[in-house]
Amino acid sequence: MKAKSYECIIVGGGIAGLQAALQLGRYMHNVLVLDNQDGRSNLCRAYHNILGWPDGVSGETLRNLGRKQAESYGVEFKKAFVHKTEKNKENILLYTEDGTVLEAKTLLLSTGIKDRIPSIKNIEPCLGISIYVCPDCDGYEVRDQHVLLLGSGKTGGNLALTLTYWTDKITFINHDKEQLEPALLDQLTQKSIHIIDEQIEEIITENESEFKGVKLKNGQTVAGDKGFIGFGGNAVHSSLAAQLGVERLENKHVLVDPRTKETNITNVWAAGDVVAHSEQVTIAMADGCQAAIWIHKRLLKNQS
């Protein structure tokens, strides 16, 4: 069976992928977005640092509105997981887990990353509302409050230090009991950051999403006003890029041309958190839009 062909296929329907889809739809290109609906933006209940949303906006809202916008320009969406991709002489082939084979003249990888969040009771409803992940996004939300840093080892310790810009009341719950290097331990001590080496059993909440503290495996409860996550070990979803020979850093983030967002493989672009940058929603939007502009230029060039 001949593979169905598109001018552009976007793998990943998060913020970067949706912004690119919207732009390419407005260029009237034949575009398909493949998304398994498991992106990290689904977990965030409120972004507070996006222009035009003074009261915050959830990742779910952005995704729903973005998809509706893109569909209004004829962009197709399919829930699918792509497990293999390869280039033939002219185009790029994508293979989904349901056995579908698709063909694209250009490919945008916006596959993102996945935060390592242990299975802790009551944690999900609080994400983006009273438990945060990104200090650049939400450090402001915890100013002068008692923060419980729910994390592990070096990652958690360094995030606790970062948060001292906004508050001097921080307790670091070292969930995995990972030993801290003496230099880091000394810095934490100097900043009066209390460290508890114990696993977290559950989040204590009010009204489902209002963080009040944690209950530890040893039965101890620790009260706090807000929570922050810093477990480390986030998964970078760049395996498809690797299959195509795309250049990656040691941490598996994809390298792109800073102007065009194209990778070192012709007709393959990348945008959003899978790219080596600061993992911000607004940057993901910019990446997606910029990539779409240059994908459009390439499609025009190939038609002439």
Side-chain angles (χ1 to χ4, degrees), residues 215-237:
K215 179 182 177 183
L216 304 178
K217 289 280 187 181
N218 63 8
Q220 178 185 358
T221 59
V222 184
D225 301 315
K226 293 287 172 60
F228 246 94
I229 289 174
F231 292 102
N234 294 346
V236 182
H237 294 157

Side-chain angles (χ1 to χ4, degrees), residues 24-36:
L24 288 167
R26 288 175 60 84
Y27 284 132
M28 299 177 291
H29 288 301
N30 181 23
V31 179
L32 172 67
V33 178
L34 299 172
D35 184 42
N36 66 357

Side-chain angles (χ1 to χ4, degrees), residues 23 258-261 269 285-295:
Q23 185 70 24
R259 184 184 184 203
T260 67
K261 311 307 174 185
W269 280 259
M285 289 180 180
D287 269 7
C289 186
Q290 191 76 347
I293 290 170
W294 286 90
I295 289 170

